[in-house]
């Protein structure tokens, strides 16, 4: 075999030159944990801050044991742990959509627990926990997965553990595998699940009457798990937005080269527009729609189309530009007031008439639905193109949600903009292309920020377990000053929300606040970006080099940091 063929074969099974190099990247550790070579477990103590959610009284009743133990007090790492804890068996699972850095959380937990405790990986997310699919994680596994993207080492799923039967199944897994702790790495819903499990497993699980600890870690590329001052961002957001910003920057470069297209780019983010806002701040497009602002100003679909048409027309008439980029958040459709009303009626209708709907031929379904909607909503429904109607009627996800990633909002906007230009400004050319960036960004190799942040989140989770804590979510703050490990009581984040006709305990999604510094900065610049080509092309994410230590711009602005640089360790 030639030496080139030999070299190429060696790249199989995650052994590209890049993958080999990232595995060897050193990771900084927060000063509280000592140093990478001499890692130390820590004690946690109250910061003095106590969280009080809107529905604190109801939460204190439902989560009585957890609230009694934590008092909803925020904890920080304070001082070295006394004595070494050994013999703990800790199960770790991923939940929900993948996000870069998950493997490093697992590696950090393993490192903190050390050789005298056992880490077990749960295969296939919460479903794997119910089925008891656990295996021991070894040092060899850690060497293999460190700094790699994706959740492929364990897999994930979106099962919600909420029925009494499911809780019993978890208890069975705990007993069978002699678990002392469970770690749930997930988003808002998964951390709500962690709180429910922490309460259920709080006591009476083991023969001596003690319980099983439950700790959460904040994951989601959507960036909608944030707590001002306590949790700067969920992990995976930085990697995903840098990948999207590179792709959007390349497209912007293309628009100014080929001089003929408007590109409409839909960006992932099921509800919140954090991803779109971050990418907009990175690349400075002609237009970026922010769902939360659309809802707040009660902008109709027609008003959004008018806003885009105004940019297309003025760029052409004032500057001769026939091109531009429009960023569209994935969740937009649910934030447009009239579409929101339509989706709400559809959700109810499809839930109540499920059998009758399923029995119909596919091409008879739209007429059946239209006949049952209220008059104004039915008129809107009938006015939508078939490709949108099909997706509005498509199967809901396992949480009963509309699958917004399947709705081609970007295409709908293009069609409506084209029609409006033909009607009102026929002299203005409008060539278009559309894209959806989502799955491209979730599993990339973590940025240096996500790699270091997640490793330290893992160390924090491990330290909380060794310190005997349960019902907390790990966090790291002070991103510009070395990093401070924190523990946020999950019950302090929980409220009661009406979902699908029932009151449920939930951690609410942190949506974009229109008065936040990042949004205000964007609002102050967007008119200039619409008027001319002022875009930036941030290039590929860097693990070495000048942009390697860059934080998400939204995080730096919202946290009032003096620069974009992060410093952990
Ligand atoms: P999580 O909130 O579970 O992290 O998932 C986020 C996300 O990537 C959304 O941005 C997107 O709408 C959704 O997952 C897509 O889910 P799926 O992988 O089931 O298609």
């Amino acid at each position: 075999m030639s030496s080139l063929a030999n070299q190429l074969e060696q790249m199989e099974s995650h052994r590209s030159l890049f993958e080999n190099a990232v595995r060897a990247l050193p990771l900084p550790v927060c000063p509280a944990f000592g140093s990478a070579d001499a890692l130390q477990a820590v004690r946690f103590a109250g910061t003095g801050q106590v969280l009080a959610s809107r529905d604190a009284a109801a939460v204190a009743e439902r989560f009585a044991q957890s609230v009694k133990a934590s008092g909803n007090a925020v904890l920080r790492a304070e001082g070295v742990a006394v004595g070494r804890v050994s013999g703990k068996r800790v199960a770790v699972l991923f939940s929900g959509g993948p996000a870069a850095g998950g493997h490093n959380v697992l590696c950090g937990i393993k490192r903190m627990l050390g050789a005298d405790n056992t880490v077990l990986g749960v295969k296939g997310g919460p479903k794997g926990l119910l089925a008891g699919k656990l295996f021991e994680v070894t040092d060899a596994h850690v060497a293999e997965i460190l700094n790699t993207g994706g959740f492929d080492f364990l897999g994930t799923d979106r099962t919600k553990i909420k029925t009494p039967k499911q809780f019993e199944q978890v208890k069975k897994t705990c007993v069978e595998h002699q678990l002392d702790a469970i770690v749930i790495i997930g988003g808002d819903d998964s951390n709500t699940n962690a709180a429910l499990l922490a309460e259920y497993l709080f006591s009476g699980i083991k023969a001596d009457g003690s319980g099983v600890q439950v700790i959460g870690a904040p994951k989601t590329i959507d960036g909608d798990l944030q707590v001002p001052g306590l949790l700067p961002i969920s992990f995976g957001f930085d990697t995903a937005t840098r990948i999207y910003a590179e792709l959007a920057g390349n497209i912007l470069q293309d628009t100014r080269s080929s001089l003929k297209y408007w590109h409409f780019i839909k960006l992932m983010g099921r509800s919140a527009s954090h991803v779109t806002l971050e990418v907009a701040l990175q690349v400075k497009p002609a237009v970026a729609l922010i769902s939360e602002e659309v809802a707040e100003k009660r902008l109709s679909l027609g008003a959004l189309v008018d806003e885009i048409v105004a940019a297309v027309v003025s760029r052409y008439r004032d500057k001769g530009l026939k091109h531009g980029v429009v960023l569209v958040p994935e969740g937009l459709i649910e934030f447009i007031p009239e579409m929101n009303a339509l989706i709400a009626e559809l959700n109810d209708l499809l839930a109540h008439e499920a059998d009758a709907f399923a029995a119909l031929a596919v091409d008879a379904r739209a007429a059946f639905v239209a006949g049952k909607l209220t008059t104004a909503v039915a008129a809107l429904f009938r006015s939508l193109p078939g490709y949108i109607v099909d997706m509005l009627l498509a199967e809901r996800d396992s949480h009963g949600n509309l699958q917004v990633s399947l709705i081609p909002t970007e295409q709908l906007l293009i069609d409506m903009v084209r029609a409006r230009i033909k009607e009102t400004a026929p002299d203005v050319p409008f060539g278009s292309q559309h894209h959806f960036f989502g799955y491209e960004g979730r599993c990339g190799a973590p940025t240096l920020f996500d790699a270091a942040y997640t490793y330290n989140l893992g160390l924090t989770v491990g330290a909380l377990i060794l310190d005997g804590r349960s019902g907390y979510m790990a966090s790291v703050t002070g991103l510009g000053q070395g990093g401070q490990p924190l523990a946020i009581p999950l019950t302090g984040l929980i409220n009661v929300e009406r979902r699908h006709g029932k009151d449920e305990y939930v951690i609410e999604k942190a949506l974009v606040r229109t008065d936040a510094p990042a949004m205000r900065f964007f609002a102050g610049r967007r008119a200039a970006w619409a008027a001319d080509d002022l875009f930036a092309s941030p290039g590929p994410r860097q693990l070495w080099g000048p942009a390697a230590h860059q934080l998400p711009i939204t995080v730096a602005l919202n946290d009032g940091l003096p620069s974009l640089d992060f410093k952990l360790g």
Side-chain angles (χ1 to χ4, degrees):
M1 191 185 294
S2 74
S3 64
L4 175 59
N6 195 15
Q7 200 184 8
L8 295 177
E9 272 191 15
Q10 280 176 14
M11 292 180 182
E12 290 171 4
S13 305
H14 291 309
R15 295 263 158 229
S16 66
L17 297 178
F18 175 78
E19 285 165 309
N20 286 340
V22 293
R23 280 189 188 94
L25 268 178
L27 290 170
V29 305
C30 297
F33 297 128
S35 68
D37 296 331
L39 200 72
Q40 61 201 19
V42 292
R43 279 179 295 117
F44 284 84
T47 58
Q49 183 176 0
V50 172
L51 300 183
S53 70
R54 204 178 49 235
D55 301 310
V59 173
E61 206 172 301
R62 170 65 183 81
F63 297 84
Q65 302 184 89
S66 309
V67 174
K68 188 167 173 230
S70 73
N72 281 335
V74 177
L75 309 178
R76 74 168 153 244
E78 217 167 78
V80 182
V82 185
R84 180 73 202 161
V85 176
S86 63
K88 287 215 182 222
R89 291 173 60 77
V90 179
V92 182
L93 65 89
F94 296 134
S95 179
H103 288 160
N104 277 17
V105 178
L106 182 60
C107 296
I109 296 170
K110 172 92 178 128
R111 180 74 212 284
M112 181 52 79
L113 292 176
D116 34 11
N117 296 286
T118 305
V119 175
L120 301 150
V122 180
K123 284 209 169 207
K127 208 182 237 170
L129 184 69
L130 297 175
K133 288 192 183 161
L134 276 61
F135 67 99
E136 186 169 341
V137 178
T138 64
D139 288 337
H141 289 137
V142 168
E144 186 66 22
I145 63 175
L146 189 70
N147 294 334
T148 60
F151 277 4
D152 54 315
F153 179 59
L154 297 181
T156 182
D157 90 322
R158 292 189 183 277
T159 301
K160 243 186 185 177
I161 299 176
K162 55 180 185 181
T163 66
K165 186 173 166 220
Q166 287 173 316
F167 282 116
E168 274 301 311
Q169 281 174 294
V170 174
K171 185 173 171 182
K172 187 166 163 258
T173 300
C174 290
V175 173
E176 267 175 22
H177 292 269
Q178 296 165 27
L179 297 183
D180 297 288
I182 297 173
V183 180
I184 297 184
I185 302 173
D188 52 331
D189 281 339
S190 309
N191 275 283
T192 301
N193 241 215
L196 289 165
L197 269 182
E199 181 65 19
Y200 178 77
L201 299 174
F202 204 88
S203 59
I205 306 298
K206 297 192 213 154
D208 63 0
S210 62
V212 170
Q213 299 163 251
V214 181
I215 300 290
K219 166 240 69 163
T220 173
I221 67 152
D222 293 3
D224 56 8
L225 185 51
Q226 304 181 14
V227 186
L230 297 178
L231 176 65
I233 192 70
S234 51
F235 77 78
F237 175 79
D238 186 44
T239 306
T241 52
R242 293 261 206 125
I243 293 172
Y244 304 147
E246 180 196 354
L247 296 173
N250 293 349
I251 286 178
L252 278 151
Q253 199 65 55
D254 191 290
T255 57
R256 198 156 70 179
S257 307
S258 54
L259 305 169
K260 58 181 176 180
Y261 291 127
W262 274 82
H263 290 257
F264 283 56
I265 305 174
K266 185 171 73 171
L267 292 165
M268 215 174 224
R270 200 195 178 283
S271 268
S273 305
H274 297 290
V275 169
T276 297
L277 179 58
E278 175 66 28
V279 174
L281 290 168
Q282 301 242 7
V283 304
K284 296 105 175 61
V287 179
L289 303 174
I290 301 296
S291 306
E292 291 83 344
E293 188 179 35
V294 170
E296 199 172 290
K297 293 185 175 166
R298 300 203 58 75
L299 298 176
S300 65
L301 192 52
L304 294 180
V305 170
D306 286 344
E307 184 186 326
I308 300 169
V309 168
V312 174
V313 170
S314 67
R315 278 167 74 94
Y316 179 69
R317 289 191 180 151
D318 299 347
K319 298 267 163 55
L321 302 175
K322 291 184 269 179
H323 61 268
V325 161
V326 179
L327 300 183
V328 181
E330 181 186 21
L332 177 68
I333 204 104
E334 286 188 300
F335 286 76
I336 301 171
E338 72 267 28
M339 292 301 291
N340 186 279
L342 166 61
I343 291 165
E345 275 197 34
L346 278 177
N347 283 345
D348 274 0
L349 185 72
L350 295 180
H352 290 119
E353 305 266 359
D355 293 340
F357 182 77
L360 288 169
V362 173
D363 57 1
R365 289 178 175 174
F368 169 81
V369 164
K372 296 200 175 276
L373 296 169
T374 54
T375 317
V377 168
L380 171 63
F381 183 72
R382 286 198 181 95
S383 75
L384 294 170
Y387 58 83
I388 298 287
V389 167
D390 289 348
M391 292 304 137
L392 288 173
L393 297 182
E395 209 177 315
R396 271 36 188 172
D397 71 10
S398 58
H399 295 191
N401 295 321
L402 179 71
Q403 300 192 56
V404 282
S405 62
L406 299 179
I407 298 187
T409 326
E410 68 285 19
Q411 218 176 310
L412 175 68
L413 287 171
I414 287 176
D415 289 347
M416 293 182 75
V417 166
R418 173 166 296 115
R420 190 72 52 89
I421 287 177
K422 203 168 159 200
E423 209 178 280
T424 60
D427 58 306
V428 176
F430 181 66
S432 68
Q433 299 286 346
H434 59 89
H435 316 261
F436 171 35
F437 299 158
Y439 301 98
E440 294 83 347
R442 299 197 305 187
C443 286
T447 55
L448 215 50
F449 171 70
D450 269 331
Y453 185 51
T454 48
Y455 190 65
N456 281 281
L457 284 173
L459 295 175
T460 307
V461 169
L464 282 165
I465 291 169
L466 293 177
D467 200 37
R469 307 288 177 167
S470 187
Y472 290 88
M473 177 166 66
S475 175
V476 175
T477 55
L479 302 175
Q481 302 102 40
Q484 168 68 56
L486 280 191
I488 305 173
L490 286 165
T491 46
L493 304 177
I494 291 182
N495 277 304
V496 182
E497 202 176 278
R498 194 112 187 119
R499 282 192 182 173
H500 310 300
K502 277 194 291 176
D503 278 346
E504 286 195 24
Y505 291 92
V506 295
I507 295 176
E508 284 170 9
K509 287 188 188 306
L511 299 179
V512 170
R513 282 188 298 110
T514 52
D515 60 349
M519 188 63 197
R520 286 209 308 270
F521 184 86
F522 164 70
R525 295 299 306 146
R526 63 181 157 190
W529 302 345
D532 209 342
D533 271 343
L534 298 182
F535 68 86
S537 190
R541 65 200 187 287
Q542 297 182 4
L543 293 169
W544 303 267
H549 283 87
Q550 192 180 311
L551 274 171
I553 297 175
T554 45
V555 172
L557 285 171
N558 289 341
D559 283 9
L561 301 181
S563 83
L564 275 182
D565 289 348
F566 75 88
K567 185 181 176 323
L568 285 173

